[in-house]
Amino acid sequence: MATPSEKHEIHCEKRYLEYIETPFYRAFRDKTNPESNASNYAVLKRMEEAKQSLEEVERYYAELGITPKFFSRPDSVTLEESRAFFEAHGYEICAFEEQRMMLLTQASSALQVQNCPVRLVSGRPLKGAEAQLARESCGEQEFVLRRLNRALSAGARVSFACNHAEIPVSYCAGGGYGSAFYLSDVYTDAKFRRQGYGAAAIRAMLDYACNPELGYTDVFLHAVSPEAISLYEKLGFRGSAVPAYRAFKGRLPARCTGTGA
């Protein structure tokens, strides 16, 4: 039986992305945001009829000129099962380990948190300096901003930590599904890193998610870099490494990372 966090990973994006699902695969897409890997990907759930599934997924993305791609999820086939199949059909694979981390303890006394204004955004698109910070997080492109705005329309939240001039310099995005709450994006302006702004944005999001009236029992995230893992551990998260993969038709994109974009 799937855990609350596994159900979140399987179902949450159905609230704000177009998708098709069969017993064999699931595919998400966003016609307004074709450059976003995290908004346009498929999950291969079974190896039975895998060739037919692949052809259907490729047609689904061909309509929009989107590169077909498959990501691992809790209900996906493993890379051990699927690697030879993907490679035989022209896919290049990025295999990696990520930390699946749950909020289990109180924050460490060693945690540095900036004493700064923090605002929580919900129910509206990001605008002004908020939107610019989201663009900055993806190299002055629009795809992360568009994805965040779609998630906000479905009930997600974004917390912004601001500097002394009340300009946003760090953000944390999160959203819930059922009894699980997921921290999906954290970014801090390079000039303000290692000063506690990221921790301030995350703490504000955790204060929201841990409100007992909301009913979230599992607060979780995924992390890849040692620096991020260290910060989350100080915030009270604990986890273990799990295997993950991304399979792209043709060559891997330059920005292919553990979490997508």
Side-chain angles (χ1 to χ4, degrees), residues 96-100 222 240-244:
F96 57 97
E97 283 191 341
E98 61 185 3
Q99 286 279 329
R100 181 184 180 88
H222 293 99
S240 58
V242 294

Side-chain angles (χ1 to χ4, degrees), residues 42-101:
V43 176
L44 185 62
K45 299 192 288 184
R46 297 168 61 179
M47 292 305 298
E48 295 92 341
E49 301 187 20
K51 188 174 186 296
Q52 179 179 336
S53 297
L54 191 75
E55 292 171 350
E56 292 177 7
V57 167
E58 290 182 349
R59 284 196 297 270
Y60 186 64
Y61 291 121
E63 298 174 19
L64 303 180
I66 294 170
T67 299
K69 60 192 75 72
F70 288 82
F71 289 2
S72 55
R73 287 293 184 263
D75 60 336
S76 66
V77 296
T78 67
L79 185 55
E80 183 180 14
E81 296 173 280
S82 59
R83 180 188 286 275
F85 171 78
F86 282 132
E87 292 179 341
H89 289 83
Y91 282 73
E92 191 165 302
I93 297 168
C94 172
F96 57 97
E97 283 191 341
E98 61 185 3
Q99 286 279 329
R100 181 184 180 88
M101 307 186 76

Side-chain angles (χ1 to χ4, degrees), residues 54 59 67 103 109 111 150 166 173 181 231 242 244-245 253:
L54 191 75
R59 284 196 297 270
T67 299
L103 184 64
S109 59
L111 178 67
R150 290 296 293 268
E166 299 194 4
F181 191 90
L231 172 60
V242 294
Y245 65 84

Side-chain angles (χ1 to χ4, degrees), residues 128-199:
E130 301 166 350
Q132 180 52 38
L133 190 63
R135 291 189 190 96
E136 180 185 310
S137 73
C138 57
E140 300 299 334
Q141 301 297 313
E142 293 282 331
F143 51 84
V144 168
L145 174 61
R146 291 173 184 156
R147 177 170 57 82
L148 288 175
N149 283 339
R150 290 296 293 268
L152 283 163
S153 72
R157 301 286 193 277
V158 182
S159 59
F160 288 93
C162 304
N163 64 11
H164 68 278
E166 299 194 4
I167 297 172
V169 298
S170 184
Y171 75 81
C172 172
Y177 180 88
S179 60
F181 191 90
Y182 178 58
L183 272 63
S184 59
D185 296 77
V186 177
Y187 176 77
T188 303
D189 183 313
K191 299 186 295 295
F192 294 90
R193 292 174 187 169
R194 297 181 178 84
Q195 299 176 41
Y197 286 100

